[in-house]
Amino acid sequence: MLMSSTVKQTQQLSPNHGLFSLRGALLTLAILTLLSFTFLSLKYSTPSPQISVAKLVDPEVKEHNDEEEGGEELSDIYHSPRVFKLNYAEMMEKFKVYIYPDGDPKTFYQTPRKLTGKYASEGYFFQNIRESRFRTLDPDQAHLFFIPISCHKMRGKGTSYDNMTIIVQNYVEGLIAKYPYWNRTLGADHFFVTCHDVGVRATEGLPFLIKNTIRAVCSPSYDVGFIPHKDVALPQVLQPFALPAGGNDIENSDANYLIFPGMNRILNLEIGHNRQTTCLHEYLIIYSLSTFGKYGLCRTNLGFWAGHRNSKIRVILARVWENDTELDISNNRISRATGHLVYQKRFYKTKFCICPGGSQVNSARIADSIHYGCIPVILSNYYDLPFNDIVDWRKFAVVLKESDVYQLKQILKNISHAEFVSLHNNLVKIQKHFQWNTPPISYDAFHMVMYDLWLRHYTIKY
């Protein structure tokens, strides 16, 4: 009876025992596979970059550290990294700018109406220059003189372009009569800053201002008299950005990532109450919630553009490609009714973001693309790109002529994955140059504009 009972218990336990053995074997196999993949990933991966801690340190400390490092690790994106390092350090030590204090305080010497929208770059510069180390109250120490004309401020008051031109002319002529500094160089050591078409149109009727002074403008096309060796291309940046910057989301470049090569699929992760989906062309990535994964790292779209047909190139772009299955082209801006931040999230999902000029040659999409980690595709015949004399745009962007729009898809498809990875990695490196901060941080957009001005002051002879 006892033996019979024991046999029955053994028969009952056998299936469970077999199940446990199977589970144990599978678990062991899974662990070995995970360790193998991890070993291979670490063996063949690229070194992890240092994590930026800009927000955790004092701006002055970061500024000093950046000057010491000088961007040697970024040598592939600068035309001459050593020259840039030396000149930048000299600029930080010596450059001085005098701001004219005269003028109607309701019109001049004011931060533009707001630090958002298409005039944000102008507003940030006005605010940054007043708070920066470059400002001097002694005009005899100044290398350059800043004419604080805020045409955006005038436009906000409903002033017409003709009246703006008269106001600017009267103001500058008043400075010439009151101070001796303009007449030393006929204004060659003077500069003003304006973004978008308002400031350009307000000053284009003043030849002595256009031809003599340094213009930092967001519309640097030759049809408005932009002179590359004299003028400065101001990056047009729509801040604040709605979503965080896109990072190195296509390669094994973060120590928090475990990458398993050769697996082209989608993984759904459920961690606590947070659920997210991520996908890449050739990789399966497991990542922590602290990284960019929460917004999706699925750069599966080839190209993207959405906007109004307010220029010839945009009309052609929409007509040729709006029905294409691989290029996401819309001839109207994406309505908010379709969902929250749909437009911005498209940048995260796309490899190449098309940036055709609108009513002006400049486009804020360029800075948007850079911020969200989408390779900008410049479609313009005449556009002196921001910081073009400092950085090599072809290392992180695709620069095309407008006539290339008809072969656009094939041009993008001909870019190999390795070339795309290189462009994307370089793009992440220069993101800081297209970011405005208050107070300013070394190597941000403000300091890069100041560096361009510093370079131009060398050509001025008294």
Side-chain angles (χ1 to χ4, degrees), residues 438-458:
T438 179
I441 297 174
S442 194
Y443 294 105
D444 66 0
F446 171 71
H447 282 89
M448 294 296 284
V449 172
M450 293 303 294
Y451 180 76
D452 255 334
L453 292 169
W454 171 252
L455 293 181
R456 280 149 181 75
H457 103 276
Y458 277 112

Side-chain angles (χ1 to χ4, degrees), residues 245-251 254 257 276-281 283 285-288 291-300 345 347-350 372 424:
N248 276 328
D249 47 37
I250 59 171
E251 286 289 285
D254 191 317
Y257 292 172
Q276 56 191 343
T277 301
T278 187
C279 60
L280 297 175
H281 297 291
Y283 302 96
I285 293 184
I286 301 176
Y287 51 87
S288 67
T291 58
F292 304 104
K294 70 173 76 173
Y295 296 104
L297 306 178
C298 309
R299 298 197 181 276
T300 53
K345 291 176 182 177
F347 284 89
Y348 285 126
K349 299 179 180 180
T350 306
Y372 293 118
H424 180 84

Side-chain angles (χ1 to χ4, degrees), residues 107-137:
T107 305
F108 308 110
Y109 192 41
Q110 298 288 314
T111 298
R113 284 183 293 144
K114 54 185 180 180
L115 298 181
T116 58
K118 61 186 179 181
Y119 301 101
S121 296
E122 178 182 332
Y124 272 102
F125 187 90
F126 269 67
Q127 181 166 311
N128 287 169
I129 189 67
R130 293 204 305 266
E131 301 171 351
S132 75
R133 65 168 66 183
F134 302 112
R135 183 183 182 184
T136 179
L137 300 179

Side-chain angles (χ1 to χ4, degrees), residues 26-40:
L26 290 175
L27 180 60
T28 302
L29 179 60
I31 292 174
L32 291 175
T33 303
L34 176 61
L35 292 174
S36 299
F37 279 133
T38 302
F39 173 76
L40 291 174

Side-chain angles (χ1 to χ4, degrees), residues 243-310:
L243 294 173
N248 276 328
D249 47 37
I250 59 171
E251 286 289 285
N252 180 19
S253 56
D254 191 317
N256 292 325
Y257 292 172
L258 292 177
I259 298 183
F260 302 90
M263 301 182 70
N264 184 17
R265 53 183 296 189
I266 295 177
L267 173 69
N268 290 317
L269 295 179
E270 186 167 358
I271 306 176
H273 297 289
N274 298 298
R275 187 174 183 85
Q276 56 191 343
T277 301
T278 187
C279 60
L280 297 175
H281 297 291
E282 297 180 3
Y283 302 96
L284 177 65
I285 293 184
I286 301 176
Y287 51 87
S288 67
L289 286 176
S290 63
T291 58
F292 304 104
K294 70 173 76 173
Y295 296 104
L297 306 178
C298 309
R299 298 197 181 276
T300 53
N301 294 342
L302 178 63
F304 166 64
W305 174 78
H308 295 316
R309 300 189 188 191
N310 56 352

